[in-house]
Amino acid sequence: MILGTPETFPGERAQESHGGSGGYFVRTLLDSPPDSAFRYVRDLILDPGSSIGDHPHEGDDEVYFIISGSGVMQVDGEQRSIGPGSAVLTRSGSHHGLVNTGTLDMRICVACASCSARAGLTADAAPAGTG
């Protein structure tokens, strides 16, 4: 079992993610675990009014799952309001950014996986509802 906890990975404060504005806290709970398509899993807290700048993804898919807070996410120029329970997928070849438009911290679970795992799927082997 590979386990990442707040006790084992304390995290850090940082500024201007991907050229965005303002501050955030990030904790990488899993970082390139062996024998896994995951590149990382992060616990991220974006300060009110802060943003993650628009940036591309090549060779990986990234999912943002919003735990708390509210904001506006854009993927390939399309903007959507998001809040608790929202999940956003950015596929390889796409670009995305996020703004915390709320007055509270926005907590996000970010998971990034290599596309090479997806390339091996066939319609017969795809998970239910995806083939």
Side-chain angles (χ1 to χ4, degrees):
M1 174 189 301
I2 299 171
L3 177 66
T5 68
E7 293 75 26
T8 56
F9 298 99
E12 64 185 2
R13 293 266 326 149
Q15 297 287 316
E16 302 175 350
S17 178
H18 294 285
S21 63
Y24 62 99
F25 172 83
V26 63
R27 173 185 296 118
T28 300
L29 295 167
L30 297 174
D31 191 9
S32 299
D35 300 320
S36 174
F38 282 101
R39 293 191 172 167
Y40 55 80
V41 175
R42 295 183 177 144
D43 178 12
L44 189 140
I45 301 172
L46 191 61
D47 296 344
S50 295
S51 67
I52 298 172
D54 184 67
H55 61 282
H57 279 267
E58 293 296 334
D60 58 40
D61 290 345
E62 189 174 57
V63 173
Y64 279 38
F65 179 75
I66 310 306
I67 298 167
S68 63
S70 60
V72 173
M73 183 89 178
Q74 73 80 20
V75 177
D76 294 333
E78 181 181 348
Q79 294 188 357
R80 295 279 177 98
S81 295
I82 57 174
S86 298
V88 180
L89 171 65
T90 301
R91 294 220 181 251
S92 178
S94 292
H95 59 93
H96 68 129
L98 172 65
V99 178
N100 180 349
T101 57
T103 58
L104 303 173
D105 289 343
M106 178 181 235
R107 190 167 197 171
I108 310 156
C109 177
V110 182
C112 183
S114 170
C115 288
S116 60
R118 183 169 31 110
L121 290 177
T122 65
D124 295 334
T130 63

